[in-house]
Amino acid sequence: MAGEQLQVLNALDVAKTQWYHFTAIIIAGMGFFTDAYDLFCISLVTKLLGRIYYHVDGAPKPGSLPPNVSAAVNGVALCGTLAGQLFFGWLGDKLGRKRVYGLTLMLMCLCSIASGLSFGREPKTVMATLCFFRFWLGFGIGGDYPLSATIMSEYASKKTRGAFIAAVFAMQGFGILAGGIFAILISSAFDAQFPAPAYEAKPIASTVPQADYVWRIILMVGSLPALLTYYWRMKMPETARYTALVAKNAKQAASDMSKVLQVDLEAEVEKVEQIVQKPNSSFGLFSKQFLHRHGLHLLGTTSTWFLLDIAFYSQNLFQKDIFTAIGWIPPAKTMNAVQEVFKIARAQTLIAMCSTIPGYWFTVALIDRIGRFTIQIIGFSMMTIFMFALAFPYNHWTHPDHRIGFVVMYSLTFFFANFGPNATTFVVPAEIFPARLRSTCHGISAASGKLGAIVGAFGFLYLAQNQDKAKADAGYPAGIGVKNSLIVLGVVNFLGLLFTFLVPESKGKSLEEMSGENEDLGGDELEQPSYNNRTVPVV
């Protein structure tokens, strides 16, 4: 390791796992629990919204959201998330992680509640209100990505840092699961209290007036877990790496971490002043020096996250359509509106329990043993294999006797997304960039991912339509069909595998060693970045 490490940072790097680590995981993780609940619960209620607000008398199928409305409802939160990741990522480096952390949480809470309200009863006003508040809900969620990842990486020791950051992200799985379980409970309760016939029996009576409360309650409950952790977020001290390396306040950093670690730490004011005076310690994001040191790194983190989210969000947001296409969810006309919510929620819950959550926690268990690079390669490889295995013999899987096999294979793509790039693309950007740019670069990487999510959400909505326009959903043009859409997603996963080779391995290394800040402190010549124990020329 080149250069001499600040004592307070070294103490964090070598600290044994303590209670404050678990506290930080819970505080940051509950934000991600809320993020996942809020982002993915919309897929549980879009069919219900179509039945309530877009019913057509005499139609053979229940009402569904028009293409432009469906695209807006499904994608507007992702657009807000992209904007929030860029804005709060930048703000986290300018003002500090802690000062911005509470703001994102309050925004999420308020907009989660407001998204279940509406101004007026007409479909246009209800959808406009929903989209407006879900955009700002996404904006708050976006801020949680760079801030939570950066805070956890700067608190953790180098031996367990990957597991702790991955554990924060793994709370997404429980958020998705909680959304499914809560929707099951609410829909069951309403169906028991307000029984209704199937659509094919009595179209209008199949959607009871009380069904309007179901989607509102499901969306609004997302505010509760975030509210529970607001006080504790405000009590967290600023990270020592921001205080010492960015704010240049050695005394405050030593004081804060002395309380957290329960040891006496020297302030080292002179050493921090040396960092300030080093010319290498102040290069900006758009400088040649950043391009020289971290250009390939940023390309690697943005491209892999972009490609991963095209596939991941396509699968997550539209799994109900895939399950319907293979007959795992019965045709909509055979159910009433609330029963359809139950069936969709049950499918999402089973996927979360059997593949999503186990995948996340396999990553937590193994990321500091086998490394980020290996897990990401395994994940992208298996996602590619399973996607092609679903796509090419697609007609085989649609046969009633083979549908369970399809669901198992489809679940395995979720498992290897989460025991793979969905976790590692979140972890690595929080480890490999300098402290003064860490939150910004993570925000850029995450925003690139959300751009992929938007491409996936909007693109798959149209691509997966039947090739025969007469069989496509109302208002949609003919698409390329589910089979060809799965082939496209397989190609996307393969490209993600290739771009993974641009991402460096950070297992077992300090943040300052990965970012080159140790060289800034020691004045040593810049070393070439190591890619998974391979040395390659810098840009």
Side-chain angles (χ1 to χ4, degrees):
M1 186 190 303
E4 187 182 350
Q5 178 81 304
L6 287 171
Q7 183 188 0
V8 65
L9 305 186
N10 187 61
L12 285 167
D13 277 342
V14 299
K16 294 182 178 179
T17 300
Q18 299 177 37
W19 178 246
Y20 81 89
H21 286 120
F22 294 110
T23 303
I25 290 171
I26 293 169
I27 294 170
M30 286 307 290
F32 266 88
F33 178 97
T34 306
D35 295 349
Y37 182 101
D38 288 334
L39 280 178
F40 294 111
C41 69
I42 194 67
S43 66
L44 299 170
V45 299
T46 49
K47 297 279 191 183
L48 178 61
L49 291 170
R51 282 186 182 241
I52 295 172
Y53 295 105
Y54 293 92
H55 170 75
V56 178
D57 288 334
K61 296 181 181 179
S64 60
L65 297 178
N68 60 331
V69 176
S70 182
V73 168
N74 279 299
V76 71
L78 300 178
C79 297
T81 303
L82 187 155
Q85 286 164 336
L86 292 173
F87 177 74
F88 286 112
W90 168 79
L91 204 61
D93 283 333
K94 291 296 179 185
L95 301 182
R97 292 60 160 125
K98 180 194 171 181
R99 291 179 66 182
V100 186
Y101 211 25
L103 179 61
T104 62
L105 201 66
M106 286 311 299
L107 191 59
M108 287 158 56
C109 292
L110 292 174
C111 292
S112 183
I113 293 171
S115 63
L117 306 174
S118 56
F119 304 134
R121 297 183 178 181
E122 294 299 313
K124 284 186 178 180
T125 55
V126 174
M127 294 302 122
T129 304
L130 175 61
C131 289
F132 176 81
F133 286 114
R134 278 193 66 80
F135 175 86
W136 291 107
L137 171 65
F139 194 71
I141 290 171
D144 230 37
Y145 274 73
L147 294 171
S148 290
T150 301
I151 286 171
M152 198 65 245
S153 73
E154 293 181 345
Y155 264 110
S157 72
K158 59 186 180 182
K159 285 187 176 180
T160 57
R161 186 178 61 239
F164 288 164
I165 303 173
V168 169
F169 195 62
M171 293 300 289
Q172 271 199 342
F174 291 115
I176 295 170
L177 178 65
I181 291 174
F182 185 72
I184 287 172
L185 295 175
I186 287 294
S187 58
S188 298
F190 271 76
D191 194 39
Q193 188 68 29
F194 309 104
Y199 181 87
E200 60 187 358
K202 293 184 178 180
I204 295 177
S206 70
T207 305
V208 295
Q210 292 82 1
D212 194 50
Y213 292 113
V214 173
W215 70 268
R216 297 177 189 274
I217 293 170
I218 290 172
L219 296 186
M220 294 170 80
V221 162
S223 65
L224 294 179
L227 279 173
L228 295 175
T229 57
Y230 180 77
Y231 171 78
W232 297 108
R233 280 201 180 192
M234 294 299 93
K235 294 285 287 183
M236 288 179 76
E238 182 58 86
T239 70
R241 285 182 160 90
Y242 182 86
T243 306
L245 299 177
V246 184
K248 314 299 185 188
N249 190 336
K251 290 183 179 179
Q252 188 64 49
S255 173
D256 289 342
M257 291 306 103
S258 292
K259 294 174 185 176
V260 168
L261 297 171
Q262 298 180 337
V263 295
D264 292 326
L265 295 170
E266 186 182 345
E268 299 181 290
V269 176
E270 292 182 3
K271 197 175 287 185
V272 170
E273 288 176 351
Q274 290 175 21
I275 298 175
V276 179
Q277 295 167 3
K278 291 287 180 183
N280 286 345
S281 67
S282 58
F283 61 83
L285 180 65
F286 300 105
S287 65
K288 288 183 179 179
Q289 195 160 2
F290 178 86
L291 181 64
H292 180 71
R293 289 192 179 197
H294 301 293
L296 284 178
H297 296 169
L298 190 58
L299 175 61
T301 58
T302 53
S303 60
T304 52
W305 208 334
F306 172 78
L307 293 164
L308 175 276
D309 272 8
I310 290 177
F312 186 72
Y313 276 80
S314 296
Q315 290 172 248
N316 250 311
L317 287 173
F318 301 105
Q319 58 180 281
K320 62 184 184 299
D321 300 308
I322 290 174
F323 288 142
T324 300
I326 65 163
W328 208 51
I329 294 177
K333 65 181 181 180
T334 65
M335 301 176 282
N336 66 43
V338 176
Q339 287 171 345
E340 188 173 25
V341 174
F342 175 86
K343 297 286 188 180
I344 294 168
R346 185 182 66 176
Q348 178 170 306
T349 302
L350 287 171
I351 291 291
M353 289 177 65
C354 298
S355 62
T356 304
I357 291 175
Y360 279 123
W361 290 97
F362 263 73
T363 301
V364 173
L366 297 174
I367 192 168
D368 287 313
R369 297 185 182 183
I370 65 177
R372 290 80 165 134
F373 176 80
T374 302
I375 288 177
Q376 190 158 312
I377 287 290
I378 291 172
F380 269 130
S381 299
M382 299 306 293
M383 288 170 70
T384 304
I385 292 169
F386 282 118
M387 203 61 74
F388 285 148
L390 288 172
F392 291 115
Y394 181 72
N395 293 332
H396 167 83
W397 294 118
T398 57
H399 191 277
D401 294 338
H402 304 145
R403 286 169 182 168
I404 297 300
F406 182 97
V407 172
V408 171
M409 297 274 281
Y410 189 68
S411 298
L412 285 171
T413 65
F414 277 104
F415 175 83
F416 283 105
N418 296 311
F419 177 50
N422 193 41
T424 53
T425 52
F426 177 80
V427 173
V428 175
E431 300 181 306
I432 63 177
F433 298 107
R436 66 187 173 280
L437 298 172
R438 185 169 292 133
S439 179
T440 301
C441 289
H442 194 285
I444 293 171
S445 302
S448 177
K450 281 299 167 284
L451 182 61
I454 293 167
V455 171
F458 289 108
F460 199 78
L461 191 67
Y462 288 89
L463 283 179
Q465 293 299 320
N466 198 293
Q467 291 173 292
D468 181 355
K469 190 178 187 308
K471 296 181 180 179
D473 291 342
Y476 286 88
I480 63 174
V482 173
K483 175 180 178 176
N484 292 328
S485 297
L486 292 174
I487 293 173
V488 170
L489 294 183
V491 173
V492 167
N493 289 326
F494 180 71
L495 291 174
L497 170 66
L498 298 181
F499 277 99
T500 296
F501 287 91
L502 295 178
V503 182
E505 178 59 77
S506 50
K507 181 184 73 167
K509 298 178 182 178
S510 74
L511 296 178
E512 289 68 43
E513 187 179 359
M514 286 303 303
S515 65
E517 286 166 300
N518 277 345
E519 285 79 6
D520 294 341
L521 177 57
D524 296 345
E525 187 177 348
L526 176 66
E527 295 178 357
Q528 291 180 323
S530 172
Y531 286 73
N532 318 301
N533 301 319
R534 307 184 308 279
T535 300
V536 301
V538 292
V539 179

